[in-house]
Amino acid sequence: MRLSQFHLHTEKETPAEAELISHKLMLKAGMIRKLAAGIYTWSPLGLRVLRKVEAVVREEMDAAGAIELLMPSIQPRELWEETGRWEKFGGQLLKIRDRKDAEYAYGPTHEEVITDFARQELASYKQLPVTFYQVQAKFRDEIRPRFGVMRAREFLMKDAYSFDVDAEGMARSYDRMYAAYTRIFTRLGLRFRAVLADSGAIGGDASQEFHVLADSGEDAIAWSDTGNEGDPAGYAANVETARAAAPGPRPASAEDMRSIATPTQKTCEAVAELMGIPLARTVKSVAVMGHDGEGREQFVLVLVRGDHEANEVKLAKVAGLGDYRMATEAEILAHLGSDPGFLGPIAPAKPVRVVADVEVAAMADFVVGANRPGEHIAGVNWGRDLPEPDTVADVRSVVEGDRAGDGGTLRIMRGIEVGHIFQLGPKYAEAMGCTVLDAAGKAAVPLMGCYGIGVSRIVAAAIEQNHDQAGILWPEAMAPWTVAVCVINPKNDPAVATAAAALHDELAARGIDVVLDDRGLRPGPMFADMELIGIPHRVVVSARGLEAGSFEYRARNAAEAESLDREALLARLAG
Amino acid sequence: MRLSQFHLHTEKETPAEAELISHKLMLKAGMIRKLAAGIYTWSPLGLRVLRKVEAVVREEMDAAGAIELLMPSIQPRELWEETGRWEKFGGQLLKIRDRKDAEYAYGPTHEEVITDFARQELASYKQLPVTFYQVQAKFRDEIRPRFGVMRAREFLMKDAYSFDVDAEGMARSYDRMYAAYTRIFTRLGLRFRAVLADSGAIGGDASQEFHVLADSGEDAIAWSDTGNEGDPAGYAANVETARAAAPGPRPASAEDMRSIATPTQKTCEAVAELMGIPLARTVKSVAVMGHDGEGREQFVLVLVRGDHEANEVKLAKVAGLGDYRMATEAEILAHLGSDPGFLGPIAPAKPVRVVADVEVAAMADFVVGANRPGEHIAGVNWGRDLPEPDTVADVRSVVEGDRAGDGGTLRIMRGIEVGHIFQLGPKYAEAMGCTVLDAAGKAAVPLMGCYGIGVSRIVAAAIEQNHDQAGILWPEAMAPWTVAVCVINPKNDPAVATAAAALHDELAARGIDVVLDDRGLRPGPMFADMELIGIPHRVVVSARGLEAGSFEYRARNAAEAESLDREALLARLAG
């Protein structure tokens, strides 16, 4: 490719409107251009990167035996009614009426459509297992689209769906996709981690997320150091769902219950500091409204250790808290007789349900609010000073340093979710009446899995992980071109232009994805462009170099350029 | 590819709901499955064909110097307001409101979006000429989607857009796309014809359509036999817009005007038969309502020769007829004092505007309706019996046998429009304020072209052109696989299975797109499937053949199979 025949449009200034570095760099490099909120055009440069990701995804899907098809982006309401998701999916579903007033949605995902396809195409267990996939534009009407293609509304996704006769088969299909995803991110040259995840709105039994590791990632992920960053063998999970090892047995009490004057100390931190005790000796009370067994609103006091945070996803899995909300000040006053700041489980104004985190249930001699202004109570013990909790459950987020269930210590890092795989079980097939005849000739509901990769998001995630002051540092597999041949002063020096073109052609003939920067820019702007757009290898062809029989070579991530003769250069680039 | 690892789902019965043979065969072969009206899933088999077309299109676009990008499918209303097309495009535009009540359309075409991209990315004439393209799902909300993917609502399109500084440049870009389209359809192995076309709603100066020739085609195309079907060098145009050579001068009158009793003869055909004269001596009167110079509704009598038909596209280009409609019986009665059936231009009840086709204006001694029931008038002559027409224009459709302007004779055939190229001129760039600095440093409006190919429609069109009783006959470039290796009784005869697999692997290693039918079907159903899905070359591996050291080979379009040894087979398939 000759750059003079391409459309490259970089910006000198860093765009002010972008927050994330990947968004800034994609705009500055001219990879994308905003059309509307969360809707982007991929420029020729951006598309080259997107297509490289797409190609790796497709190759590994094919290698894993998945079969490509192409479903429509526009899906009829009737299908979504069959699974109840027309209402349940929420505002992210972009709903559309056609000229005949029939209702459709722009597909945000395709479980309904593939299950409809399957119930027509699959008749017998002999056709299973089968995994279908597609690569296609999706639309999710995000309330706050932002960060460029990181959280766009229209985006490119690879979605796959497996069908199996039994749970073992479903697990095998799932494992095959897990392995394919691992190969994909490995081939793309990204540091990533697969972690256990919450199934969320998609539903189903088991799921894992694949995260590209980057400090700017929106998700926190926890991993046990029985593995290590290079070899993530141990336990790893999204902090949304990660669990620490169970605490040991509750110690015997050693203190009497006593009142502590805490005139201005409204937080566990302030109380612990006043008392000169570890934060882990205090208990935080969080007041929420859930529902009781009859569906009536119920005030619930959630207790977590002072150095822990209640975890929304885990809380919502406790019976009665499926759709909990924070309690208001008025509700707190009515049930506990206290302002926020001095809440506690002891002697509430009315009887309240107490949900204690497993760590809190295993504490003795702890400190809680007194339900009276300016007062906490220390030396508190379950059973003696207050009843055993109504519910004991894991409701807190893990923190760095927690013991992991596999014997290691939990570490926390940030990740960008780029893939998510689910064992769905019978959920969709059952709702939509999709059955196959099993070996005994009886109708059986196939068990499904679904597997998504955010193809366009990977591009942004890779930049978050791989950039420096000068711009992007693409892993080779994702780079728009692997090698840039830069020509110094081609218009005034035909011999240099000819030599550069010859080098370009030779590299291209060897199967290297090379671009010739023959635009005639001065070296400064030319090199700045190549660094900004992240080409992994740069070769400079100049009159001086030609005289000396050498080329100036510099790897994008190297501090210095080096002078190489032709053979050494070719050897370097072949590696 | 082993068919046992693929998902092939053919139907035994021909689906009753389909009208067109391509629709029937695509359903029967399991290439597509309907999701909703005009919305189809492409099965794995169908997608293989679609991707082959897409690959040829992409290669030829790249070879022609067009640069690929990817625009969003969802486009904001504001852009379409800038060109006035939000209203003008009509009901085919699928309009969408997002959760914030902002309005969008699912892109049916991308002139607005590419012009918005260009006005941000193009600053100088030095960046021109440039042609961008994309391959993407489009949506057009057809009133009557039908014929499967032939007239689908969601479909796959390649759209390209060129930008040039001047008219010569625009013409060169257009010619380059014309040449690329010619190569695309040639490589795809289709019989096709490029014809002059009406620009329609897209607008602009010049345009040509590419038609796949098929008797079932919706369009009639006219071509001059100075060229011939194999070498379409001469004049060719869509019948919507095709012109015949101008008629000779009007002959002198030889007859007196006289009344003819035509009690039941309400058509030109009936009158000519009654009188024993050629149909071409009669004149047909068509009553329409247009507008006069002040914008008031105006009754207009359009005259075409009895053996001709008025042409809607041409009529709409006559001043005052831009939005004409057929007149009602009441309007006809009010203006002519006659029922339909005996209309004519002589002695109307009120003065009416007369628009005569150029052929009618050149007639003498012709026959028209008398505006009285049961009566026609013969021997009519312009100037003598009625005033010269108010307007003379080419308003009729050409017919087989017309003289062409290039000296040949016009032939008519049917075609399926699969491509359309336009010289747009300044239309979109001007409306959207897209300018570049020219060589003199002044802001200049770039001249655009736009170029569309219906990628998914090509698949159906190819089938319309290439099928027989047994199914599809794919041209090699579009076939899902080029060669099918069919194994007889593989489960009971491991040696046959092994030999077939070896042949498959050898062909694959030679770069041939081969499928091994290892499903274990009986020969009848297996061969029927391979014929239905249109594989160009079939090789049968059987125990008897192996003993004889031969393979049974049959080309899809050959009447008979032949027995070939390994060398001869490889030579045949390499060709």
Side-chain angles (χ1 to χ4, degrees):
Chain A
M1 171 72 72
R2 278 153 170 76
L3 211 46
S4 61
Q5 306 298 310
F6 191 74
H7 175 78
L8 181 68
H9 183 85
T10 58
E11 303 277 356
K12 286 208 183 58
E13 303 301 322
T14 299
E17 77 270 24
E19 296 171 56
L20 274 195
I21 187 70
S22 60
H23 190 192
K24 284 183 203 287
L25 287 175
M26 289 182 79
L27 289 171
K28 197 175 179 194
M31 292 179 61
I32 54 171
R33 196 168 270 285
K34 182 175 167 178
L35 180 64
I39 301 179
Y40 291 86
T41 291
W42 288 79
S43 78
L45 181 72
L47 186 61
R48 288 187 72 88
V49 178
L50 191 65
R51 290 278 191 249
K52 293 215 171 178
V53 177
E54 197 181 328
V56 170
V57 169
R58 189 169 271 122
E59 284 168 23
E60 292 299 338
M61 283 297 111
D62 292 342
I67 305 171
E68 189 172 4
L69 45 54
L70 182 61
M71 293 178 269
S73 63
I74 299 298
Q75 315 182 353
R77 170 177 177 154
E78 290 69 28
L79 280 189
W80 286 70
E81 294 283 6
E82 290 188 49
T83 59
R85 289 210 297 179
W86 182 258
E87 294 304 329
K88 269 192 290 186
F89 203 87
Q92 285 202 340
L93 193 63
L94 183 70
K95 295 177 178 176
I96 301 172
R97 273 177 198 277
D98 73 2
R99 68 196 299 166
K100 291 174 182 160
D101 237 21
E103 285 189 277
Y104 296 87
Y106 195 123
T109 179
H110 277 66
E111 283 80 14
E112 280 80 2
V113 179
I114 196 69
T115 307
D116 178 59
F117 182 78
R119 68 184 168 186
Q120 299 175 80
E121 297 262 332
L122 302 180
S124 158
Y125 74 98
K126 291 177 188 167
Q127 293 172 279
L128 307 186
V130 65
T131 299
F132 297 112
Y133 81 97
Q134 62 175 354
V135 182
Q136 186 193 43
K138 299 277 192 279
F139 199 97
R140 291 187 187 168
D141 199 1
E142 301 279 354
I143 293 187
R144 245 193 99 197
R146 58 196 160 140
F147 306 147
V149 298
M150 186 72 86
R151 186 173 289 280
R153 294 197 291 170
E154 185 170 336
F155 59 98
L156 192 65
M157 184 169 165
K158 186 286 300 174
D159 46 327
Y161 307 89
S162 64
F163 295 83
D164 276 275
V165 282
D166 55 27
E168 293 69 38
M170 174 173 71
R172 273 194 303 273
S173 293
Y174 180 92
D175 290 345
R176 218 166 14 242
M177 284 295 118
Y178 179 95
Y181 277 39
T182 300
R183 282 192 301 272
I184 287 166
F185 297 114
T186 302
R187 280 184 60 186
L188 290 176
L190 298 172
R191 281 171 291 122
F192 69 99
R193 181 66 47 88
V195 303
L196 296 170
D198 183 54
S199 299
I202 302 285
D205 305 323
S207 85
Q208 279 162 289
E209 294 166 349
F210 286 78
H211 286 265
V212 167
L213 304 177
D215 293 340
S216 59
E218 274 199 305
D219 285 45
I221 58 183
W223 58 284
S224 167
D225 64 4
T226 51
N228 59 53
E229 196 174 329
D231 173 23
Y235 176 82
N238 194 307
V239 163
E240 276 183 2
T241 196
R243 304 170 71 91
R250 185 190 294 167
S253 68
E255 298 177 15
D256 289 334
M257 185 165 84
R258 63 194 188 280
S259 171
I260 306 287
T262 52
T264 60
Q265 285 75 16
K266 293 190 169 194
T267 63
C268 287
E269 286 78 2
V271 171
E273 192 185 340
L274 177 77
M275 295 179 64
I277 57 169
L279 189 54
R281 296 280 305 281
T282 66
V283 168
K284 186 157 45 187
S285 301
V286 182
V288 304
M289 299 301 293
H291 289 90
D292 66 14
E294 274 77 47
R296 287 181 299 253
E297 274 218 314
Q298 183 186 45
F299 184 89
V300 179
L301 202 61
V302 177
L303 305 182
V304 294
R305 225 168 65 183
D307 58 335
H308 289 160
E309 294 294 336
N311 177 305
E312 290 180 26
V313 171
K314 291 181 177 180
L315 260 190
K317 289 184 175 162
V318 173
L321 298 185
D323 53 354
Y324 82 90
R325 62 171 172 83
M326 301 309 289
T328 64
E329 282 203 33
E331 286 163 343
I332 291 172
L333 193 61
H335 287 89
L336 301 180
S338 168
D339 290 337
F342 304 98
L343 303 188
I346 297 177
K350 297 181 186 175
V352 302
R353 178 182 175 198
V354 171
V355 173
D357 180 61
V358 287
E359 293 281 354
V360 173
M363 288 170 75
D365 302 324
F366 52 91
V367 178
V368 296
N371 288 329
R372 286 184 296 271
E375 183 178 345
H376 278 74
I377 300 176
V380 176
N381 284 278
W382 294 109
R384 186 188 74 182
D385 306 323
L386 77 173
E388 290 290 335
D390 301 297
T391 306
V392 175
D394 175 11
V395 295
R396 59 112 180 173
S397 294
V398 297
V399 293
E400 177 94 21
D402 274 338
R403 277 195 310 120
D406 66 0
T409 300
L410 286 183
R411 304 290 172 213
I412 308 284
M413 57 176 106
R414 310 292 306 177
I416 300 163
E417 185 191 334
V418 289
H420 202 158
I421 60 178
F422 300 82
Q423 292 188 22
L424 295 172
K427 177 174 168 170
Y428 292 91
E430 203 160 73
M432 295 182 64
C434 171
T435 60
V436 297
L437 294 181
D438 66 16
K442 283 198 304 188
V445 175
L447 301 184
M448 292 172 58
C450 78
Y451 315 95
I453 284 186
V455 177
S456 45
R457 178 182 273 193
I458 286 174
V459 176
I463 298 175
E464 289 297 327
Q465 189 183 77
N466 303 282
H467 64 269
D468 63 13
Q469 285 297 100
I472 303 165
L473 287 113
W474 290 118
E476 293 211 1
M478 295 179 65
W481 298 281
T482 315
V483 177
V485 173
C486 294
V487 203
I488 306 294
N489 209 3
K491 281 170 191 163
N492 298 324
D493 200 336
V496 173
T498 305
L503 178 64
H504 166 276
D505 294 350
E506 172 158 12
L507 293 173
R510 291 176 181 229
I512 294 172
D513 191 10
V514 57
V515 67
L516 178 66
D517 192 345
D518 58 348
R519 294 175 299 164
L521 264 58
R522 286 174 297 108
M526 176 163 54
F527 297 167
D529 270 356
M530 293 304 106
E531 285 172 10
L532 173 60
I533 71 173
I535 309 305
H537 306 279
R538 188 184 77 197
V539 182
V540 180
V541 182
S542 64
R544 206 170 53 180
L546 282 187
E547 275 172 38
S550 71
F551 299 95
E552 181 196 303
Y553 166 78
R554 183 173 166 190
R556 176 67 180 82
N557 58 5
E560 298 287 334
E562 37 189 327
S563 185
L564 297 177
D565 67 19
R566 193 173 158 288
E567 289 309 307
L569 178 72
L570 293 176
R572 182 71 60 95
L573 296 176
Chain B
M1 171 72 70
R2 278 151 171 76
L3 210 46
S4 60
Q5 306 297 311
F6 192 74
H7 175 78
L8 180 68
H9 183 86
T10 59
E11 302 276 356
K12 286 208 182 59
E13 304 301 321
T14 300
E17 76 270 25
E19 295 172 57
L20 276 194
I21 186 70
S22 60
H23 190 192
K24 284 183 204 287
L25 287 175
M26 289 182 78
L27 289 172
K28 197 174 178 193
M31 292 180 62
I32 54 172
R33 196 168 270 285
K34 181 174 167 180
L35 180 64
I39 301 180
Y40 291 87
T41 291
W42 289 79
S43 78
L45 181 73
L47 185 62
R48 287 187 73 88
V49 178
L50 191 67
R51 291 277 190 250
K52 293 215 171 174
V53 176
E54 195 182 328
V56 170
V57 169
R58 188 169 272 124
E59 283 169 24
E60 291 300 337
M61 284 296 111
D62 292 343
I67 306 172
E68 189 173 5
L69 46 54
L70 182 61
M71 292 179 270
S73 63
I74 298 298
Q75 313 182 354
R77 169 178 178 152
E78 290 70 27
L79 280 189
W80 285 69
E81 295 283 7
E82 289 188 49
T83 59
R85 290 211 296 179
W86 183 259
E87 294 304 330
K88 268 192 291 188
F89 202 87
Q92 284 202 341
L93 193 63
L94 184 69
K95 296 178 178 175
I96 302 172
R97 276 178 196 273
D98 73 1
R99 66 196 298 166
K100 291 173 182 161
D101 237 19
E103 284 189 276
Y104 295 86
Y106 195 122
T109 178
H110 277 67
E111 283 79 13
E112 281 80 2
V113 178
I114 196 70
T115 307
D116 178 60
F117 182 78
R119 70 183 166 185
Q120 299 174 79
E121 296 263 331
L122 302 179
S124 159
Y125 74 98
K126 293 178 188 167
Q127 294 172 279
L128 306 186
V130 65
T131 299
F132 297 111
Y133 82 97
Q134 63 175 354
V135 181
Q136 187 192 43
K138 299 278 193 275
F139 199 97
R140 291 187 187 167
D141 199 3
E142 302 279 355
I143 291 186
R144 242 194 102 196
R146 55 193 163 144
F147 305 147
V149 298
M150 185 72 86
R151 187 172 290 279
R153 295 197 292 170
E154 183 170 338
F155 58 99
L156 193 65
M157 184 170 165
K158 186 286 300 174
D159 45 326
Y161 307 89
S162 64
F163 294 84
D164 276 274
V165 282
D166 55 28
E168 293 70 35
M170 175 174 69
R172 274 193 302 273
S173 293
Y174 179 91
D175 291 345
R176 215 164 17 238
M177 282 297 118
Y178 180 95
Y181 276 39
T182 300
R183 282 192 300 273
I184 286 166
F185 296 114
T186 303
R187 280 185 59 185
L188 290 176
L190 298 172
R191 281 172 291 122
F192 69 99
R193 181 66 45 87
V195 303
L196 297 170
D198 183 56
S199 299
I202 301 286
D205 305 323
S207 84
Q208 279 161 290
E209 293 166 348
F210 286 77
H211 286 265
V212 167
L213 304 177
D215 293 340
S216 58
E218 273 199 307
D219 285 45
I221 59 183
W223 58 284
S224 167
D225 64 4
T226 51
N228 58 51
E229 196 177 326
D231 173 24
Y235 177 82
N238 193 309
V239 163
E240 276 184 0
T241 197
R243 303 171 72 91
R250 185 189 295 167
S253 68
E255 298 177 16
D256 289 333
M257 186 164 84
R258 62 193 189 280
S259 172
I260 307 288
T262 52
T264 61
Q265 285 74 16
K266 295 189 168 192
T267 62
C268 288
E269 286 78 3
V271 171
E273 191 185 341
L274 178 76
M275 295 178 63
I277 58 168
L279 190 55
R281 296 278 305 280
T282 67
V283 168
K284 185 155 49 188
S285 301
V286 182
V288 306
M289 299 302 292
H291 290 90
D292 66 14
E294 274 75 46
R296 286 181 300 254
E297 274 217 314
Q298 184 186 42
F299 184 89
V300 180
L301 203 60
V302 176
L303 306 182
V304 294
R305 225 168 62 186
D307 58 336
H308 289 161
E309 294 294 336
N311 176 307
E312 291 181 26
V313 171
K314 291 181 177 180
L315 260 190
K317 288 183 177 162
V318 173
L321 298 185
D323 54 354
Y324 83 91
R325 63 173 172 82
M326 302 309 288
T328 64
E329 283 205 33
E331 285 162 345
I332 292 171
L333 192 62
H335 288 87
L336 300 180
S338 168
D339 290 336
F342 305 98
L343 303 188
I346 299 177
K350 297 181 186 173
V352 302
R353 178 181 175 198
V354 171
V355 173
D357 180 61
V358 289
E359 293 281 353
V360 173
M363 288 169 78
D365 301 326
F366 52 90
V367 179
V368 297
N371 288 329
R372 285 185 296 273
E375 183 178 346
H376 279 72
I377 302 176
V380 177
N381 284 278
W382 293 110
R384 186 189 75 182
D385 306 323
L386 76 174
E388 291 289 336
D390 301 296
T391 305
V392 175
D394 174 11
V395 296
R396 59 112 180 171
S397 294
V398 297
V399 294
E400 177 93 22
D402 276 336
R403 279 196 308 119
D406 66 0
T409 301
L410 287 184
R411 303 292 172 211
I412 308 283
M413 56 176 110
R414 310 292 308 177
I416 299 163
E417 185 192 334
V418 289
H420 202 159
I421 59 178
F422 300 84
Q423 292 187 23
L424 295 172
K427 177 174 167 170
Y428 292 90
E430 203 160 76
M432 295 182 64
C434 171
T435 61
V436 296
L437 294 180
D438 66 14
K442 282 200 304 190
V445 174
L447 301 183
M448 291 172 58
C450 78
Y451 315 95
I453 284 186
V455 177
S456 45
R457 178 182 273 194
I458 286 173
V459 176
I463 298 174
E464 289 298 326
Q465 191 182 74
N466 303 282
H467 64 269
D468 63 12
Q469 285 298 99
I472 303 165
L473 287 111
W474 290 117
E476 293 213 1
M478 294 179 65
W481 298 280
T482 316
V483 177
V485 174
C486 295
V487 203
I488 306 293
N489 209 3
K491 281 170 190 163
N492 298 322
D493 201 336
V496 173
T498 304
L503 178 64
H504 166 276
D505 294 351
E506 172 157 14
L507 294 173
R510 289 174 181 228
I512 294 172
D513 192 10
V514 56
V515 67
L516 177 66
D517 193 344
D518 57 348
R519 296 175 296 165
L521 265 58
R522 286 173 297 111
M526 175 163 56
F527 297 168
D529 269 356
M530 294 303 106
E531 285 172 9
L532 172 62
I533 71 172
I535 309 304
H537 306 281
R538 188 186 75 198
V539 182
V540 179
V541 183
S542 64
R544 208 171 53 184
L546 282 187
E547 274 171 38
S550 70
F551 299 95
E552 181 195 301
Y553 166 78
R554 182 172 167 191
R556 176 66 181 82
N557 57 4
E560 298 287 332
E562 37 189 328
S563 185
L564 298 177
D565 67 18
R566 194 172 157 286
E567 288 309 307
L569 178 73
L570 293 176
R572 181 71 60 93
L573 296 177

